[in-house]
């Protein structure tokens, strides 16, 4: 039975000075054979992190849409990293000023394979055929202490491959969201997102999610908050 | 009806400040312990007045004197702490305080990874009387605690300047003083360093404020 993939996405800037842009970025690509969701969090201390975050998502989509499930993980990580550096250089910037984290999930529809990759602290939470497959979350020591593209060290994605049968859903979220999820409520959070937004019309889903995140933003919170949630229903 | 608030905890990130002060017998001379008590109260009260949309200061206070080091303020929000008054007495078991500080910083339950990097503040007028080298090396070189910013004050000629110069994160973070008055000046310097971090868009970058002039101190 064919699966229909649906998703919601929103990105909301934190409470910070007006001249500082939202440095998170989300990109989704879908065709008949593949679905790719990618989320980046540009580091606040770098001048062009917003651009670095966008380029990371574009780069991941460019590469993954041409890969199959037999891809070598190390080669894939190298390919993404080098392509990102190439894109940055094309933009005539210094790589150190474009630092960003990035995570992605790629669904190979016909092969029924999911590839998940993470560089830094953008969270991935996968539920496949009803079971949570905990993608190892990067262990950071303190806030802003994370591996990232453009840092010159540890620029390597952790990549995992999963098979799926009847269903999946997954959440990709920047630390503005993931650091605030109550640890024991992650599964309930995904249930909430699916139960609520599958009943909202496609045209209004992202608007409603955006509004809901804006409503919970408080003064004492300067983190950009971004999430991409993807789920399946049977046709 | 459920909303995102049922799943997300909205709190500013903690900015840990961990203070270790000398209350050994030598601090009883020349009014140093009294100056320390006043400076600590001023320091904590001034941090309570700070407000930031980025961070909430959390503090822990340790002291070393007598025969042991103690935790006098367990790690908590700056708005929840009561400030002790110290009496000068005994030896200088500074190494033990390094171990206590390290244990705190390595504890991700108390200091979660969403926190900003801690600032460790050390004030002493003497030479450690216990084995300090191993605990200090562990504190400044190993694990999570190695990421903390470290500021120190050496009061008088008897302080171990060589040891303190190894302890601090950067030479500008070693402050020397001769008198009780300098203790208050030092804590003003620490307050400025912490508040600069709170207000910065990059709180985890090293911030070295200018040492306050005597004219700016209210005695």
């Amino acid at each position: 039975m064919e699966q229909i993939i649906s998703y919601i996405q929103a990105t909301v800037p934190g409470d910070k000075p007006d001249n500082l842009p939202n440095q998170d970025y989300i990109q989704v690509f879908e065709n008949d054979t593949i679905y790719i969701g990618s989320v980046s969090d540009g580091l606040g201390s770098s001048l062009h992190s917003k651009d670095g975050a966008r380029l990371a998502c574009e780069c991941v989509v460019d590469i993954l849409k041409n890969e199959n499930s037999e891809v070598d993980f190390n080669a894939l990580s190298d390919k993404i990293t080098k392509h990102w550096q190439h894109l940055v250089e094309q933009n005539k910037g210094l790589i150190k000023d474009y630092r960003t984290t990035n995570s992605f999930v790629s669904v190979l529809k016909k092969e029924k394979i999911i590839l998940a990759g993470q560089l830094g602290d953008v969270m991935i939470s996968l539920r496949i055929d009803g079971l949570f497959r905990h993608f190892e979350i990067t262990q950071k020591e303190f806030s802003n202490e994370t591996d990232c593209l453009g840092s010159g060290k540890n620029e390597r994605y952790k990549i995992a491959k999963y098979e799926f049968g009847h269903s999946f859903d997954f959440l990709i979220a920047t630390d503005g969201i993931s650091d605030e999820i109550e640890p024991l409520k992650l599964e309930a959070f995904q249930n909430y997102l699916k139960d609520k937004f599958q009943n909202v019309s496609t045209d209004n889903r992202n608007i409603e999610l955006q509004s809901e995140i804006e409503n919970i933003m408080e003064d004492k919170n300067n983190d950009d908050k971004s999430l991409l949630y993807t789920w399946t229903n049977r046709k | 009806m459920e909303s995102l608030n049922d799943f997300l905890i909205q709190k500013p990130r903690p900015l840990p400040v961990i203070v270790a002060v000398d209350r050994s017998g030598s601090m009883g001379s020349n009014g140093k312990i009294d100056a320390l008590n006043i400076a600590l109260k001023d320091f904590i009260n001034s941090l309570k007045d700070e407000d930031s949309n980025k961070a909430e200061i959390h503090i822990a206070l340790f002291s070393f004197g007598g025969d042991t080091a103690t935790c006098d303020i367990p790690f908590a929000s700056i708005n929840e702490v009561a400030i002790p008054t110290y009496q000068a007495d005994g030896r200088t078991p500074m190494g033990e305080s390094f171990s206590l500080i390290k244990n705190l910083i390595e504890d991700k339950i108390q200091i979660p990874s969403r926190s900003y990097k801690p600032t460790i503040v050390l004030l002493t007028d003497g030479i450690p009387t216990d084995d300090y080298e191993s605990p200090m090396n562990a504190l400044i070189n190993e694990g999570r605690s190695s990421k903390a910013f470290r500021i120190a004050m050496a009061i008088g000629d008897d302080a171990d300047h060589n040891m303190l110069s190894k302890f601090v994160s950067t030479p500008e973070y070693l402050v020397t003083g001769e008198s009780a008055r300098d203790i208050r000046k030092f804590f003003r310097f620490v307050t400025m360093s912490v508040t600069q971090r709170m207000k910065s868009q990059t709180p985890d970058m090293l911030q070295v404020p200018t040492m306050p002039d005597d004219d700016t101190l209210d005695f």
Side-chain angles (χ1 to χ4, degrees), chain B residues 6 8 41 46-48 84 93 110 126 184 210 212-213:
Chain B
D6 295 312
L8 304 179
K41 285 186 173 63
S46 63
L47 291 182
K48 283 180 180 175
Q110 291 204 69
R184 295 184 71 184
T210 308
D213 296 331

Side-chain angles (χ1 to χ4, degrees), chain A residues 86-139:
Chain A
H86 175 68
L87 290 176
V88 167
E89 283 158 8
Q90 274 189 333
N91 281 265
K92 297 178 181 172
L94 297 170
I95 288 172
K96 66 183 172 62
D97 278 336
Y98 286 77
R99 290 185 300 163
T100 184
T101 60
N102 176 261
S103 289
F104 65 80
V105 175
S106 172
V107 180
L108 299 152
K109 295 177 181 176
K110 290 180 179 156
E111 295 166 275
K112 289 193 170 270
I113 294 288
I114 288 174
L115 291 174
Q118 181 188 54
L119 201 167
D121 62 0
V122 175
M123 183 190 83
I124 302 173
S125 174
L126 289 153
R127 178 164 48 186
I128 299 173
D129 296 335
L131 292 174
F132 268 88
R133 316 296 282 268
H134 289 289
F135 195 84
E136 184 190 353
I137 293 173
T138 299
Q139 292 297 308

Side-chain angles (χ1 to χ4, degrees), chain A residues 15 17 20 45 139-145 175 177 179-182 185 188-189 192 212-213 216-223 225, chain B residues 2-13 51-55 105 108 111 113-118 144 147 201-204:
Chain A
D15 177 29
L20 286 175
S45 54
Q139 292 297 308
K140 60 179 180 180
E141 301 288 12
F142 297 108
S143 174
N144 300 333
E145 282 275 311
D175 62 348
I177 294 280
D179 278 356
E180 294 178 352
I181 297 176
E182 292 198 48
K185 292 189 174 178
F189 183 46
Y192 165 75
E212 198 168 345
I213 295 174
I216 64 160
M217 295 293 282
E218 294 184 352
D219 290 344
K220 278 182 171 284
N221 198 317
N222 70 311
D223 283 331
K225 295 183 184 301
Chain B
E2 287 184 320
S3 75
L4 286 184
N5 271 327
D6 295 312
F7 307 98
L8 304 179
I9 312 163
Q10 290 276 299
K11 285 194 289 193
R13 294 180 189 276
D51 192 25
S52 164
N53 68 343
K54 294 189 70 69
I105 296 176
K108 285 193 174 179
I111 303 182
S113 57
R114 68 187 294 271
S115 306
Y116 292 111
K117 290 179 188 174
R144 207 177 179 217
K147 307 276 176 71
Q201 280 303 314
T202 54
D204 280 343

Side-chain angles (χ1 to χ4, degrees), chain B residues 15-104:
Chain B
L15 193 156
V17 178
I18 301 163
V19 182
V21 296
D22 190 338
R23 55 175 167 80
S24 62
S26 58
M27 287 290 288
S29 64
N30 300 321
K32 285 180 283 190
I33 199 76
D34 294 333
L36 172 64
N37 284 323
I38 293 168
L40 270 176
K41 285 186 173 63
D42 286 351
F43 172 62
I44 290 174
N45 287 331
S46 63
L47 291 182
K48 283 180 180 175
D49 291 339
E50 290 297 330
D51 192 25
S52 164
N53 68 343
K54 294 189 70 69
E56 180 177 75
I57 295 173
H58 283 51
I59 194 163
L61 176 62
F62 297 89
S63 64
F64 44 94
D67 294 321
T68 187
T70 53
C71 176
D72 306 316
I73 297 179
F75 190 69
S77 166
I78 191 80
N79 294 310
E80 297 169 6
V81 300
I83 308 159
T85 300
Y86 289 116
Q87 306 287 323
D89 176 50
R91 299 166 69 83
T92 312
M94 197 187 304
E96 192 181 345
S97 72
F98 292 152
S99 297
L100 293 174
I101 292 170
K102 178 156 184 69
N103 289 342
L104 169 62

Side-chain angles (χ1 to χ4, degrees), chain B residues 15 45 60 79 117 119 137 144 156 179 199 205 211:
Chain B
L15 193 156
N45 287 331
N79 294 310
K117 290 179 188 174
T119 295
N137 287 336
R144 207 177 179 217
S179 65
K199 290 170 181 169
M205 302 287 275
M211 182 61 79

